[in-house]
Amino acid sequence: MWLFLHIPYFGIFRNQYEKFGMIVALVYSVLVGIGFGYLYESLKEISIKISNYTIVILSIMLFGLYMWPYWTGDVIYGGGKGTPSARVIIPNYYHELKNWSEIQNLDYKVISLPHQEGSSYNWEHGYYGSYDPTGNYLSKPLLAQTVNVGNTYLRIYLNNLFNEFNIKNNSGAYYSSITNIKYFIIHNDLNYNINNPDKNINSNTIRSLLSFDKNISFQKSIGKIDIYRMNSAIFLPHFYSPKTTITTSQNLDVFPKIVSQRDCNIRPAIYFRNNQTAIVYPSATSSEIFNSSELTKETIDDTPIIEFKKINPTKYRVIVHHASVNFPLIFSESYNDGWKSYLVGYQKDILNFNETEYKILDGNADDQANAGELKRFIDKGYISSLGNLKEKGIKHFKWESNKEIFDYNEPYQIDFISKNFQDTIQNDNLDNGSFYETWFQKPVDNNQNHLMVNGYANSWNINPNELCLNNAKCVKNADGSYDFELVIEFWPQRLFYIGLFVSGATLIGCLIYVGYDFVKRRKNKKDEIIK
């Protein structure tokens, strides 16, 4: 208790026994072992012998005894009437949600609703109380509730999404699409009597609000979870080039009203002059007066086609097709100066497309391009690679009797290629490249063209005529436009790779030294014996 009261930030360890219990159990076992050592010496003085092995066995048995709450799970409170627990059996429909998410290859985000300050769920096998478990089961980034949600972007997001202004203007979906959200997950198993700051916002009210928006439609139900889907016509992919750029000196609070403007809600890029160096979250109770005449709008008529692949969460490959005019490249991820863009050499594969080699992957019919669409993409030069065309397989699993078991293997030759979403095509057949391919390069414009957009995201202003002038890394098309390839990378990740290399080299060096020393000692010992 003294530690909690006197050491700053020690309160992050909210439950002493759960956090430190294992250390306590280990320390007790060591102390008991020392005690047995003294007992051994005392008994030896009075001519009573006890085996060393007996002391070791007794110490191990006591360690097992002290660890018993961890073996059984009793270290986590089991809950009771009206009180939640984190030690419950998670319902099967969460595992079904996991299987539904994992087979989808499109790169998008999900929002989990309703929000609470800490979550409480009424489940068949217990009353669960902790953080939202959905994030553990989705293979996609999740926007969900957190502790003290009143001070987070989520509360502000929900206030803007479901306020009266956006409902009347039917702009909630546009506001969501800017954050790359594709699905809304609605929980019908929440307990609204605990930790619910907004008593009037529950699963029923949110369903009615989503149903009111013509750009959001019901997808399916999985157990007590309802899934709503963003209309593909307004869904903004992870990377896109905007048709409209809007610049304003007003506060970020007016962001929802800007999006609701009739000529601003299709593929916008909204720049706030005063918020370019750090993320500034808008107030949930803004008194900012919106002035539409203050907005500076520009239209980009000749937008390029974007082809991209997510290699990992810190690296993306982006190929720009038919770029002829200046355009912003939008990356819907939290702004950070560590994100940098690098121009790499573009080389297009020779594509021999055979429709019999192509199939829609299971669970991807809504998002994957069909054979006819893919052929049109190839004919227009929008696809750079179809992979190695070797037969591969996707292992599908299902959940039965609280266990994940193998279901079937799905063979395929060409990996996922998405439909054309807002002039962006996701192509998972693009090359991953090496992890060091950009290490000795400077970012485009030394990253001076990197700005915050839409109040949170990254954008790079690309001038293809300057970027590709006398540059062999670009390919010039017959119409004067350019095709070129960018790698978008989170620079600090390479520090991890360097640290991993240093640690690995150190470990290998130590093992070599220990091995050499061992061999040398054995050889010296053998020479002594011979002598």
Side-chain angles (χ1 to χ4, degrees):
M1 184 56 65
W2 186 91
L3 298 176
F4 277 81
L5 294 175
H6 295 89
I7 297 181
Y9 302 111
F10 205 82
I12 61 174
F13 303 107
R14 291 176 296 171
N15 189 320
Q16 302 96 309
Y17 190 57
E18 289 181 20
K19 302 292 184 182
F20 299 106
M22 295 182 69
I23 299 175
V24 171
L26 180 61
V27 170
Y28 279 169
S29 302
V30 172
L31 291 174
V32 168
I34 294 173
F36 280 142
Y38 284 115
L39 177 64
Y40 173 80
E41 295 295 332
S42 301
L43 293 175
K44 194 165 83 171
E45 288 181 5
I46 58 176
S47 301
I48 298 177
K49 292 185 178 181
I50 183 173
S51 170
N52 288 335
Y53 292 106
T54 303
I55 294 176
V56 172
I57 292 171
L58 286 172
S59 299
I60 293 174
M61 290 175 62
L62 280 169
F63 178 70
L65 178 63
Y66 289 130
M67 288 296 293
W68 183 254
Y70 290 91
W71 311 137
T72 62
D74 288 336
V75 67
I76 301 174
Y77 176 59
K81 187 176 181 181
T83 54
S85 169
R87 182 162 56 91
V88 295
I89 298 175
I90 296 178
N92 277 337
Y93 54 83
Y94 279 88
H95 302 287
E96 294 173 17
L97 179 70
K98 172 179 178 286
N99 293 337
W100 169 81
S101 172
E102 286 184 340
I103 62 176
Q104 296 185 61
N105 292 283
L106 187 67
D107 189 14
Y108 61 79
K109 295 184 181 68
V110 178
I111 182 169
S112 177
L113 301 168
H115 73 290
Q116 290 184 303
E117 294 184 356
S119 303
S120 301
Y121 296 83
N122 284 324
W123 288 344
E124 180 183 354
H125 299 287
Y127 178 20
Y128 170 77
S130 187
Y131 61 88
D132 186 346
T134 315
N136 293 334
Y137 290 88
L138 293 177
S139 60
K140 311 297 180 185
L142 179 73
L143 182 61
Q145 67 267 30
T146 59
V147 177
N148 298 323
V149 71
N151 297 322
T152 65
Y153 184 78
L154 176 63
R155 166 65 71 84
I156 297 158
Y157 171 86
L158 292 173
N159 284 347
N160 288 327
L161 178 63
F162 297 127
N163 65 26
E164 184 180 1
F165 179 86
N166 280 326
I167 293 171
K168 287 182 178 179
N169 288 273
N170 214 232
S171 58
Y174 293 112
Y175 186 71
S176 301
S177 67
I178 287 177
T179 57
N180 188 226
I181 288 174
K182 178 117 179 132
Y183 287 101
F184 302 82
I185 290 179
I186 314 300
H187 293 272
N188 297 305
D189 51 3
L190 274 172
N191 186 324
Y192 296 99
N193 297 320
I194 296 180
N195 297 329
N196 188 5
D198 299 316
K199 300 294 183 182
N200 295 324
I201 296 183
N202 52 48
S203 57
N204 292 328
T205 57
I206 288 181
R207 271 198 304 272
S208 63
L209 289 170
L210 294 178
S211 300
F212 181 83
D213 197 318
K214 64 181 180 181
N215 293 304
I216 300 174
S217 59
F218 175 76
Q219 174 81 5
K220 64 185 299 185
S221 290
I222 300 178
K224 293 183 178 181
I225 293 176
D226 293 334
I227 301 173
Y228 284 76
R229 176 187 174 93
M230 181 77 69
N231 189 332
S232 297
I234 68 167
F235 167 70
L236 286 175
H238 215 156
F239 286 90
Y240 69 93
S241 58
K243 282 188 171 294
T244 305
T245 62
I246 302 166
T247 308
T248 179
S249 59
Q250 294 183 86
N251 193 284
L252 192 56
D253 297 345
V254 302
F255 181 79
K257 294 188 177 182
I258 295 176
V259 175
S260 69
Q261 299 293 298
R262 190 177 297 274
D263 57 345
C264 300
N265 52 25
I266 300 295
R267 286 170 65 180
I270 305 171
Y271 294 93
F272 294 84
R273 295 190 186 98
N274 299 327
N275 297 316
Q276 295 296 350
T277 57
I279 297 176
V280 179
Y281 297 124
S283 168
T285 57
S286 170
S287 59
E288 181 81 13
I289 299 174
F290 176 60
N291 182 8
S292 60
S293 62
E294 196 274 344
L295 304 180
T296 303
K297 304 176 185 177
E298 294 183 12
T299 302
I300 304 175
D301 295 322
D302 194 9
T303 56
I305 300 295
I306 307 296
E307 180 187 12
F308 84 97
K309 176 184 180 179
K310 179 180 180 179
I311 298 171
N312 60 54
T314 64
K315 183 178 179 181
Y316 297 78
R317 189 170 303 279
V318 178
I319 299 176
V320 180
H321 297 283
H322 302 292
S324 58
V325 298
N326 293 12
F327 69 95
L329 176 65
I330 311 299
F331 175 40
S332 296
E333 202 66 47
S334 295
Y335 178 86
N336 190 296
D337 192 52
W339 285 109
K340 301 184 186 298
S341 61
Y342 300 88
L343 182 68
V344 297
Y346 174 59
Q347 186 174 0
K348 188 175 182 179
D349 293 349
I350 298 174
L351 305 179
N352 297 314
F353 177 60
N354 184 348
E355 293 189 18
T356 60
E357 298 173 344
Y358 184 73
K359 74 181 293 288
I360 302 293
L361 300 177
D362 291 353
N364 290 273
D366 293 332
D367 303 319
Q368 186 173 346
N370 58 41
E373 290 172 323
L374 178 55
K375 189 175 186 308
R376 287 193 294 272
F377 292 164
I378 294 173
D379 292 341
K380 292 181 179 180
Y382 298 164
I383 299 297
S384 303
S385 176
L386 294 176
N388 55 22
L389 298 180
K390 294 181 179 179
E391 185 166 306
K392 299 174 278 288
I394 300 174
K395 293 182 178 180
H396 292 266
F397 295 87
K398 60 183 178 179
W399 195 266
E400 288 184 358
S401 302
N402 237 22
K403 291 182 180 179
E404 188 178 50
I405 61 173
F406 176 75
D407 191 6
Y408 67 96
N409 186 67
E410 179 186 10
Y412 70 99
Q413 290 178 273
I414 299 175
D415 217 321
F416 176 82
I417 299 176
S418 77
K419 295 179 182 293
N420 187 341
F421 293 105
Q422 309 287 346
D423 289 340
T424 295
I425 300 169
Q426 178 183 330
N427 184 1
D428 289 350
N429 298 280
L430 298 178
D431 187 35
N432 288 340
S434 62
F435 70 92
Y436 54 83
E437 65 179 312
T438 61
W439 280 28
F440 303 103
Q441 295 188 40
K442 287 185 177 181
V444 175
D445 290 340
N446 205 23
N447 220 39
Q448 296 300 311
N449 61 343
H450 183 206
L451 297 173
M452 184 191 296
V453 67
N454 296 335
Y456 81 100
N458 301 268
S459 78
W460 289 269
N461 185 42
I462 306 294
N463 186 338
N465 295 308
E466 288 185 4
L467 182 66
C468 295
L469 183 63
N470 300 322
N471 195 326
K473 292 181 178 180
C474 301
V475 175
K476 191 169 185 178
N477 300 310
D479 60 358
S481 64
Y482 291 95
D483 287 7
F484 54 91
E485 184 173 334
L486 299 170
V487 170
I488 308 298
E489 190 172 24
F490 192 59
W491 185 89
Q493 180 68 13
R494 65 183 62 181
L495 300 178
F496 168 78
Y497 293 139
I498 293 172
L500 191 66
F501 172 78
V502 172
S503 300
T506 303
L507 176 62
I508 292 172
C510 291
L511 292 174
I512 291 173
Y513 175 79
V514 170
Y516 170 77
D517 185 66
F518 176 76
V519 172
K520 185 178 179 181
R521 286 174 180 273
R522 289 199 63 179
K523 183 179 179 183
N524 291 339
K525 188 174 182 180
K526 185 177 181 180
D527 291 342
E528 289 178 7
I529 293 172
I530 293 173
K531 288 180 181 179

